[in-house]
């Protein structure tokens, strides 16, 4: 059974930093392209960014609102995906989901809430 | 305002059929696969349709997808109370930035 379990969310002040983790199981994580998707309270889904598999270069791409502030990385030995978030703004407040990416997002975690507030 | 345009809401009675549209452009829907996601209240999104018209295992054939040009459509027949949810379309945009797009979402109300 595929499982994606996010952790690391919480309350952080504007300008602060936070690292989210996503523990994956039930599939060959090292072969997977992975993405982060967020959802602000009462709003729609927004793609944050993705990382390819190492065999495909291990490159990360980001949505414009987070480029330069967020960094996606992976540890294939631990089957874990990370999202490092810096210079956080109030508009980054959202539930953050990790998801496996093919031509679609076929598996999703339960999400972790990040609240940016003073 | 999303690049992929969906109606904010649709509604229909139990047993009826409903369609949800998703309109884009040649750089996204026109040249890439479309997928659809169902989000029940308080839960994570779930894949409903992928590659324009394919259903993952476990998704009933009441749900269907189609694509024509720069628009896609999700169809749901035999509406049930449990179908009341938010629905999102999504696809890559293969312009210079090469990023994923979601539609703004459509709230389905089963009357």
């Amino acid at each position: 059974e595929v499982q994606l379990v996010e952790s690391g969310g919480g309350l952080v002040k504007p300008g602060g930093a936070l690292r989210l983790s996503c523990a994956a199981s039930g599939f060959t994580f090292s072969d997977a392209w992975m993405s982060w998707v967020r959802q602000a309270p009462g709003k729609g889904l927004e793609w944050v960014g993705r990382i390819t598999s190492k065999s495909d270069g291990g490159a990360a791409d980001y949505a414009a609102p987070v480029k330069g502030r967020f960094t996606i990385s992976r540890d294939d030995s631990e089957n874990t995906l990370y999202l490092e978030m810096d210079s956080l703004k109030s508009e980054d407040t959202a539930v953050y989901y990790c998801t496996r990416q093919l031509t679609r997002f076929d598996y999703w975690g339960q999400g972790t809430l990040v609240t940016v507030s003073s | 305002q999303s690049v992929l345009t969906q109606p904010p809401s649709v509604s229909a009675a139990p047993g009826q059929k409903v369609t949800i549209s998703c309109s884009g452009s040649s750089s996204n829907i026109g040249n890439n696969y479309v997928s659809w996601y169902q989000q029940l209240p308080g839960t994570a999104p779930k894949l409903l349709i992928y590659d324009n018209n394919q259903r993952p295992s476990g998704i009933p054939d009441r749900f269907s997808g189609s694509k024509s040009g720069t628009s896609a459509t999700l169809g749901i027949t035999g509406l049930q109370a449990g179908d009341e949810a938010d629905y999102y379309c999504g696809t890559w945009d293969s312009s210079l930035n090469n990023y994923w797009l979601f539609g703004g979402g459509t709230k389905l109300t089963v009357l």
Side-chain angles (χ1 to χ4, degrees):
Chain A
E1 180 197 3
V2 171
Q3 280 202 310
L4 296 169
V5 180
E6 301 94 338
S7 60
L11 175 64
V12 60
K13 289 181 167 51
L18 206 59
R19 186 177 83 158
L20 306 183
S21 301
C22 171
S25 61
F27 64 99
T28 305
F29 180 75
S30 59
D31 289 344
W33 291 30
M34 301 293 295
S35 275
W36 288 95
V37 174
R38 68 183 180 183
Q39 186 170 35
K43 302 295 185 183
L45 302 175
E46 180 185 25
W47 179 75
V48 172
R50 70 109 199 269
I51 188 165
T52 68
S53 62
K54 285 208 165 55
S55 62
D56 287 320
D61 288 304
Y62 302 92
V66 308
K67 197 167 186 177
R69 300 186 299 121
F70 289 14
T71 302
I72 298 174
S73 62
R74 62 192 301 157
D75 183 340
D76 290 345
S77 67
E78 296 288 336
N79 290 344
T80 302
L81 177 73
Y82 298 103
L83 178 64
E84 299 263 7
M85 303 183 291
D86 294 314
S87 304
L88 282 160
K89 308 174 182 181
S90 59
E91 52 264 42
D92 295 319
T93 293
V95 174
Y96 286 74
Y97 297 101
C98 86
T99 175
R100 188 177 79 165
Q101 181 199 310
L102 301 167
T103 57
R104 64 277 188 185
F105 302 119
D106 60 351
Y107 293 104
W108 297 66
Q110 84 289 349
T112 187
L113 175 63
V114 173
T115 304
V116 184
S117 174
S118 54
Chain B
Q1 189 113 11
S2 302
V3 174
L4 301 182
T5 303
Q6 296 181 233
S9 63
V10 296
S11 61
Q16 297 298 303
K17 173 182 177 177
V18 71
T19 60
I20 297 173
S21 61
C22 177
S23 176
S25 69
S26 59
S27 67
N28 42 69
I29 291 178
N31 282 286
N32 293 287
Y33 285 125
V34 176
S35 49
W36 290 90
Y37 304 85
Q38 177 193 59
Q39 188 175 33
L40 298 168
T43 69
K46 174 179 148 183
L47 178 65
L48 268 188
I49 297 289
Y50 68 95
D51 292 358
N52 303 330
N53 55 18
Q54 302 299 302
R55 283 187 310 277
S57 61
I59 301 298
D61 59 6
R62 299 189 300 107
F63 295 90
S64 64
S66 64
K67 187 181 102 168
S68 177
T70 59
S71 292
T73 302
L74 173 70
I76 311 172
T77 59
L79 272 176
Q80 302 173 0
D83 296 333
E84 192 160 287
D86 294 320
Y87 293 84
Y88 296 90
C89 61
T91 187
W92 281 110
D93 190 300
S94 45
S95 63
L96 186 63
N97 292 329
N98 200 32
Y99 51 90
W100 183 273
L101 295 171
F102 286 105
T106 299
K107 169 68 178 176
L108 168 62
T109 300
V110 181
L111 301 170

